[in-house]
Short mmCIF file of all heavy atoms in Angstrom, two decimals:
data_model
loop_
_atom_site.label_atom_id
_atom_site.label_comp_id
_atom_site.label_asym_id
_atom_site.label_seq_id
_atom_site.Cartn_x
_atom_site.Cartn_y
_atom_site.Cartn_z
N GLU A 218 -37.35 -34.93 -20.55
CA GLU A 218 -36.67 -36.02 -21.34
C GLU A 218 -36.01 -36.96 -20.25
O GLU A 218 -35.75 -36.66 -19.14
CB GLU A 218 -35.57 -35.45 -22.23
CG GLU A 218 -36.15 -34.56 -23.29
CD GLU A 218 -35.11 -34.01 -24.20
OE1 GLU A 218 -34.25 -34.85 -24.69
OE2 GLU A 218 -34.98 -32.84 -24.42
N LEU A 219 -35.71 -38.17 -20.76
CA LEU A 219 -35.02 -39.14 -19.91
C LEU A 219 -33.56 -38.67 -19.74
O LEU A 219 -32.83 -38.56 -20.69
CB LEU A 219 -35.01 -40.49 -20.59
CG LEU A 219 -34.52 -41.69 -19.74
CD1 LEU A 219 -35.31 -41.84 -18.48
CD2 LEU A 219 -34.49 -42.99 -20.54
N VAL A 220 -33.18 -38.39 -18.43
CA VAL A 220 -31.93 -37.82 -18.17
C VAL A 220 -31.13 -38.83 -17.35
O VAL A 220 -31.61 -39.71 -16.62
CB VAL A 220 -32.00 -36.46 -17.47
CG1 VAL A 220 -32.74 -35.46 -18.23
CG2 VAL A 220 -32.77 -36.65 -16.09
N SER A 221 -29.75 -38.67 -17.36
CA SER A 221 -28.89 -39.51 -16.65
C SER A 221 -28.62 -38.90 -15.20
O SER A 221 -28.65 -37.69 -15.06
CB SER A 221 -27.53 -39.61 -17.30
OG SER A 221 -27.65 -40.26 -18.58
N SER A 222 -28.45 -39.74 -14.29
CA SER A 222 -28.21 -39.29 -12.95
C SER A 222 -26.73 -39.66 -12.59
O SER A 222 -26.26 -40.69 -13.06
CB SER A 222 -29.09 -39.94 -11.91
OG SER A 222 -28.99 -41.39 -11.93
N VAL A 223 -26.11 -38.86 -11.83
CA VAL A 223 -24.71 -39.08 -11.45
C VAL A 223 -24.56 -38.74 -9.94
O VAL A 223 -25.39 -38.14 -9.31
CB VAL A 223 -23.70 -38.16 -12.23
CG1 VAL A 223 -23.72 -38.47 -13.74
CG2 VAL A 223 -24.00 -36.68 -12.00
N ASN A 224 -23.45 -39.25 -9.42
CA ASN A 224 -23.06 -39.02 -8.06
C ASN A 224 -22.02 -37.93 -8.07
O ASN A 224 -20.89 -38.11 -8.55
CB ASN A 224 -22.53 -40.31 -7.44
CG ASN A 224 -22.09 -40.18 -6.05
OD1 ASN A 224 -22.68 -39.47 -5.26
ND2 ASN A 224 -20.91 -40.70 -5.74
N LEU A 225 -22.30 -36.77 -7.43
CA LEU A 225 -21.47 -35.62 -7.60
C LEU A 225 -20.52 -35.45 -6.43
O LEU A 225 -20.95 -35.52 -5.25
CB LEU A 225 -22.36 -34.35 -7.72
CG LEU A 225 -21.63 -32.99 -7.95
CD1 LEU A 225 -20.98 -33.04 -9.28
CD2 LEU A 225 -22.64 -31.88 -7.81
N PHE A 226 -19.25 -35.25 -6.78
CA PHE A 226 -18.22 -34.93 -5.80
C PHE A 226 -17.78 -33.46 -6.05
O PHE A 226 -17.07 -33.25 -7.10
CB PHE A 226 -17.02 -35.83 -5.88
CG PHE A 226 -17.07 -37.01 -5.02
CD1 PHE A 226 -17.93 -38.09 -5.19
CD2 PHE A 226 -16.25 -37.06 -3.81
CE1 PHE A 226 -18.04 -39.16 -4.39
CE2 PHE A 226 -16.36 -38.15 -2.96
CZ PHE A 226 -17.23 -39.21 -3.22
N ARG A 227 -18.19 -32.57 -5.25
CA ARG A 227 -17.79 -31.15 -5.51
C ARG A 227 -16.30 -30.86 -5.02
O ARG A 227 -15.70 -29.99 -5.67
CB ARG A 227 -18.71 -30.20 -4.72
CG ARG A 227 -20.19 -30.36 -5.16
CD ARG A 227 -21.06 -29.43 -4.24
NE ARG A 227 -20.71 -28.07 -4.45
CZ ARG A 227 -20.99 -27.04 -3.52
NH1 ARG A 227 -21.60 -27.37 -2.43
NH2 ARG A 227 -20.63 -25.82 -3.82
N GLY A 228 -15.90 -31.48 -4.00
CA GLY A 228 -14.57 -31.21 -3.53
C GLY A 228 -13.56 -32.28 -4.14
O GLY A 228 -13.91 -33.18 -4.82
N SER A 229 -12.30 -32.01 -3.80
CA SER A 229 -11.26 -32.92 -4.21
C SER A 229 -11.25 -34.19 -3.47
O SER A 229 -11.77 -34.30 -2.35
CB SER A 229 -9.89 -32.23 -4.07
OG SER A 229 -9.65 -31.95 -2.75
N LEU A 230 -10.74 -35.27 -4.11
CA LEU A 230 -10.63 -36.58 -3.47
C LEU A 230 -9.17 -37.04 -3.54
O LEU A 230 -8.61 -37.10 -4.64
CB LEU A 230 -11.52 -37.61 -4.17
CG LEU A 230 -11.48 -38.99 -3.60
CD1 LEU A 230 -11.98 -39.00 -2.12
CD2 LEU A 230 -12.34 -39.93 -4.44
N LYS A 231 -8.55 -37.22 -2.41
CA LYS A 231 -7.13 -37.65 -2.41
C LYS A 231 -7.03 -39.09 -1.87
O LYS A 231 -7.55 -39.49 -0.72
CB LYS A 231 -6.31 -36.69 -1.47
CG LYS A 231 -6.22 -35.24 -1.97
CD LYS A 231 -5.43 -34.40 -1.02
CE LYS A 231 -5.38 -32.96 -1.47
NZ LYS A 231 -4.63 -32.84 -2.71
N LEU A 232 -6.44 -39.94 -2.67
CA LEU A 232 -6.26 -41.31 -2.32
C LEU A 232 -4.83 -41.71 -2.52
O LEU A 232 -4.45 -42.87 -2.90
CB LEU A 232 -7.11 -42.17 -3.31
CG LEU A 232 -8.57 -41.90 -3.35
CD1 LEU A 232 -9.26 -42.70 -4.49
CD2 LEU A 232 -9.26 -42.16 -2.07
N LYS A 233 -3.88 -40.80 -2.13
CA LYS A 233 -2.44 -41.15 -2.26
C LYS A 233 -2.08 -42.27 -1.35
O LYS A 233 -2.11 -42.14 -0.13
CB LYS A 233 -1.64 -39.84 -1.91
CG LYS A 233 -1.81 -38.75 -2.91
CD LYS A 233 -0.92 -37.55 -2.50
CE LYS A 233 -1.01 -36.41 -3.49
NZ LYS A 233 -0.10 -35.25 -3.16
N GLY A 234 -1.55 -43.33 -1.94
CA GLY A 234 -1.08 -44.49 -1.16
C GLY A 234 -2.23 -45.17 -0.44
O GLY A 234 -1.90 -46.07 0.42
N THR A 235 -3.44 -44.93 -0.84
CA THR A 235 -4.55 -45.64 -0.11
C THR A 235 -4.66 -47.06 -0.52
O THR A 235 -4.46 -47.36 -1.71
CB THR A 235 -5.90 -44.89 -0.45
OG1 THR A 235 -5.85 -43.52 -0.11
CG2 THR A 235 -7.01 -45.53 0.27
N VAL A 236 -4.94 -47.95 0.48
CA VAL A 236 -5.06 -49.37 0.07
C VAL A 236 -6.55 -49.76 0.27
O VAL A 236 -7.08 -49.58 1.36
CB VAL A 236 -4.17 -50.20 1.04
CG1 VAL A 236 -4.34 -51.70 0.74
CG2 VAL A 236 -2.73 -49.82 0.89
N PHE A 237 -7.09 -50.24 -0.87
CA PHE A 237 -8.49 -50.71 -0.77
C PHE A 237 -8.45 -52.26 -0.79
O PHE A 237 -8.08 -52.88 -1.75
CB PHE A 237 -9.31 -50.26 -1.98
CG PHE A 237 -9.48 -48.76 -2.08
CD1 PHE A 237 -8.58 -47.86 -2.70
CD2 PHE A 237 -10.62 -48.18 -1.46
CE1 PHE A 237 -8.81 -46.52 -2.75
CE2 PHE A 237 -10.84 -46.82 -1.48
CZ PHE A 237 -9.89 -45.98 -2.16
N ALA A 238 -8.79 -52.79 0.38
CA ALA A 238 -8.68 -54.27 0.55
C ALA A 238 -9.80 -55.02 -0.15
O ALA A 238 -9.63 -56.14 -0.47
CB ALA A 238 -8.64 -54.59 2.08
N ASP A 239 -10.90 -54.33 -0.43
CA ASP A 239 -12.01 -54.98 -1.09
C ASP A 239 -12.48 -54.25 -2.36
O ASP A 239 -11.78 -53.28 -2.76
CB ASP A 239 -13.16 -55.16 -0.10
CG ASP A 239 -12.79 -56.19 1.10
OD1 ASP A 239 -12.73 -57.41 0.76
OD2 ASP A 239 -12.41 -55.68 2.14
N LYS A 240 -13.70 -54.52 -2.76
CA LYS A 240 -14.18 -53.88 -4.00
C LYS A 240 -14.31 -52.32 -3.87
O LYS A 240 -14.68 -51.89 -2.74
CB LYS A 240 -15.50 -54.49 -4.48
CG LYS A 240 -15.33 -56.00 -4.85
CD LYS A 240 -16.71 -56.53 -5.26
CE LYS A 240 -16.56 -58.03 -5.61
NZ LYS A 240 -17.91 -58.59 -5.92
#
Side-chain angles (χ1 to χ4, degrees):
E218 299 181 49
L219 185 62
V220 297
S221 298
S222 60
V223 296
N224 178 43
L225 185 65
F226 266 74
R227 297 178 64 202
S229 60
L230 179 63
K231 295 181 182 293
L232 304 173
K233 293 182 179 180
T235 305
V236 179
F237 293 92
D239 294 285
K240 294 179 181 178

